[in-house]
Amino acid sequence: MQGNTFNEQERIARQLESIEARFEELSIRITLPEIIADTPTFTRLMREHSELSELNDLAVAYRKLLEEIDGAREMLEDPDMAELAQEELPQLEAQLEEKTREARIALLPKDPDDYKNAVLEVRAGAGGDEAGLFGAQLLRMYAHYADKRGWKCELIEDGSTELGGVKESTMLIQGRNVFQRLKFESGVHRVQRVPVTESSGRIHTSTATVAVLPEAEDVEVEINANDLRIDTYRASGAGGQHVNRTDSAVRITHIPTGLVVTSQDQRSQIQNREKAMRVLKSRLYELQREQQDSEYANRRRLQVGTGDRSERIRTYNFPQGRVTDHRIGLTLYKIDEIMEGELDEIIDALTLAEQTALMAQDE
């Protein structure tokens, strides 16, 4: 057992050593004039440098801890220092064991889209008007969560209903590692409560569907202009009242796939077209990723559920004040806080489940 632990520590030490070397190399390269002048290369290297920053800190701490342990073991050979070394060594080895667990998680395979912004779509499901009202509440929940994390939210497609619900609405959420935090939210969300329109006090069950897509970058998705049909029309509803005298709303149809994206929340047709194209690229990127990267898709399914839109992932039971995530069996009795965007406890638990599953595969 000790031999296995030692071998793992050696393996991790080698991996961290290479990360430390790469980080140092990047730190030098991003200061070179020829790199700074080459915008695409500079952007790519800066992103890699940023992504490796925390791992590099871990690598430095791990290396220093190993050096301290080596020093303590040498002290055992010195009669004057042996007693002190015998006191320090167990503490240092315990620290190394904990740091090895931390490093093992940090070195797990990463979803290549984790660092990206996200396009979040909410659609009303079964349950009529109540489903639309619940969908609007989910949309607000994610907006509150984004605000707590310092992310920026833009409503791209406003599918509001007269009652204040949503048929289908889309937000672009921008910030650090947005997709990494929100990717587990894809799926069917179920609500159990007494609707305000229910006079008999019976509990109704309704659903809303959430889809979270990584925002595609221009270099990842190429769109042929001949494959697009672009229609304009007058904006309507809460999002379009200020522009309802002009054809400012935009509907883009990608003919080969049949994907349709609309945007009417912006004041000008140009702005709506730009935002609709961003959503279309993200949807095409997701389609491309699913079709071309079956290994990645299989790995995601093995982690914490498929995230498939037909899969019920979470139940919000208002009479009991309960939220249950069915993928990991987590139940929290704090529904009011969660609906106000306090999602970290759920997302952290889902992330841990992902890491645990990946470590089991790695053994």
Side-chain angles (χ1 to χ4, degrees):
M1 187 71 176
Q2 287 184 337
N4 290 339
T5 301
F6 179 74
N7 290 338
E8 182 182 37
Q9 290 171 354
E10 283 233 312
R11 176 177 63 82
I12 286 174
R14 286 196 299 271
Q15 287 180 272
L16 292 176
E17 186 179 348
S18 65
I19 286 167
E20 200 175 345
R22 176 61 177 166
F23 187 80
E24 186 177 351
E25 177 192 351
L26 288 168
S27 298
I28 295 171
R29 291 189 67 189
I30 59 178
T31 65
L32 299 175
E34 60 269 28
I35 295 295
I36 296 173
D38 183 352
T39 302
T41 301
F42 179 72
T43 301
R44 177 174 55 81
L45 294 181
M46 279 295 293
R47 179 184 296 152
E48 185 183 355
H49 185 267
S50 176
E51 289 172 1
L52 286 180
S53 178
E54 288 185 18
L55 263 179
N56 180 70
D57 291 342
L58 178 60
V60 171
Y62 200 84
R63 174 172 51 80
K64 289 182 176 178
L65 189 53
L66 288 174
E67 289 171 355
E68 286 185 63
I69 289 174
D70 286 342
R73 285 172 179 161
E74 288 178 9
M75 287 165 57
L76 288 173
E77 306 300 321
D78 185 339
D80 296 328
M81 304 295 288
E83 186 176 346
L84 178 61
Q86 286 172 349
E87 290 179 9
E88 288 187 351
L89 199 53
Q91 297 174 12
L92 292 171
E93 287 174 342
Q95 290 177 35
L96 180 62
E97 189 175 338
E98 177 60 33
K99 193 64 74 175
T100 298
R101 280 196 294 268
E102 181 184 342
R104 189 181 178 197
I105 291 173
L107 291 168
L108 288 171
K110 298 291 188 296
D111 184 330
D113 293 321
D114 273 353
Y115 71 90
K116 293 181 180 177
N117 300 325
V119 173
L120 187 144
E121 304 170 355
V122 176
R123 295 179 178 84
D129 291 336
E130 174 66 9
L133 291 170
F134 176 54
Q137 200 168 2
L138 287 178
L139 204 64
R140 287 192 295 273
M141 178 182 77
Y142 293 121
H144 286 315
Y145 182 64
D147 185 59
K148 290 175 189 296
R149 297 192 70 87
W151 297 338
K152 178 184 177 184
C153 274
E154 290 182 69
L155 188 64
I156 295 175
E157 186 175 352
D158 182 9
S160 298
T161 66
E162 292 181 2
L163 294 177
V166 298
K167 289 182 179 178
E168 178 179 341
S169 290
T170 304
M171 286 194 304
L172 173 65
I173 305 178
Q174 299 169 290
R176 181 176 175 83
N177 298 333
V178 176
F179 185 69
Q180 179 188 49
R181 298 295 291 173
L182 291 179
K183 61 186 177 183
F184 301 118
E185 296 302 300
S186 290
V188 174
H189 295 240
R190 182 176 71 169
V191 63
Q192 295 173 322
R193 63 183 173 189
V194 179
V196 292
T197 56
E198 175 57 60
S199 57
S200 65
R202 289 187 301 118
I203 295 174
H204 283 229
T205 298
S206 305
T207 63
T209 298
V210 175
V212 182
L213 314 175
E215 185 188 18
E217 298 174 353
D218 289 337
V219 294
E220 293 169 325
V221 177
E222 292 183 10
I223 298 178
N224 188 331
N226 294 328
D227 290 339
L228 301 178
R229 184 174 71 245
I230 301 176
D231 302 308
T232 58
Y233 58 98
R234 290 189 181 183
S236 61
Q241 289 173 354
H242 56 284
V243 288
N244 58 15
R245 294 184 181 178
T246 61
D247 291 344
S248 62
V250 173
R251 180 188 299 109
I252 301 178
T253 303
H254 186 251
I255 298 168
T257 61
L259 288 173
V260 178
V261 177
T262 63
S263 178
Q264 65 171 22
D265 196 56
Q266 302 302 306
R267 291 185 176 274
S268 75
Q269 187 182 116
I270 292 174
Q271 290 174 317
N272 280 320
R273 177 170 173 159
E274 177 187 336
K275 292 199 178 299
M277 282 297 294
R278 291 175 79 171
V279 174
L280 178 61
K281 285 178 181 177
S282 295
R283 291 183 183 173
L284 286 171
Y285 176 66
E286 178 75 0
L287 195 63
Q288 174 182 300
R289 191 175 73 168
E290 288 175 357
Q291 291 172 343
Q292 295 181 353
D293 197 349
S294 59
E295 181 182 344
Y296 169 77
N298 287 335
R299 196 187 80 208
R300 284 287 299 280
R301 276 195 291 272
L302 286 167
Q303 287 168 9
V304 286
T306 66
D308 186 89
R309 298 183 188 189
S310 65
E311 180 182 89
R312 184 193 68 194
I313 64 166
R314 194 175 298 152
T315 293
Y316 304 74
N317 186 303
F318 279 81
Q320 297 178 13
R322 167 176 64 82
V323 176
T324 298
D325 195 289
H326 303 289
R327 293 164 295 182
I328 54 176
L330 174 68
T331 295
L332 299 173
Y333 288 90
K334 50 192 327 183
I335 195 166
D336 291 338
E337 294 93 330
I338 288 168
M339 299 313 295
E340 287 299 314
E342 297 289 344
L343 291 171
D344 276 333
E345 189 171 354
I346 296 175
I347 291 173
D348 287 344
L350 288 163
T351 301
L352 179 61
E354 175 190 55
Q355 293 167 345
T356 302
L358 283 173
M359 284 193 290
Q361 288 179 347
D362 196 39
E363 288 176 351

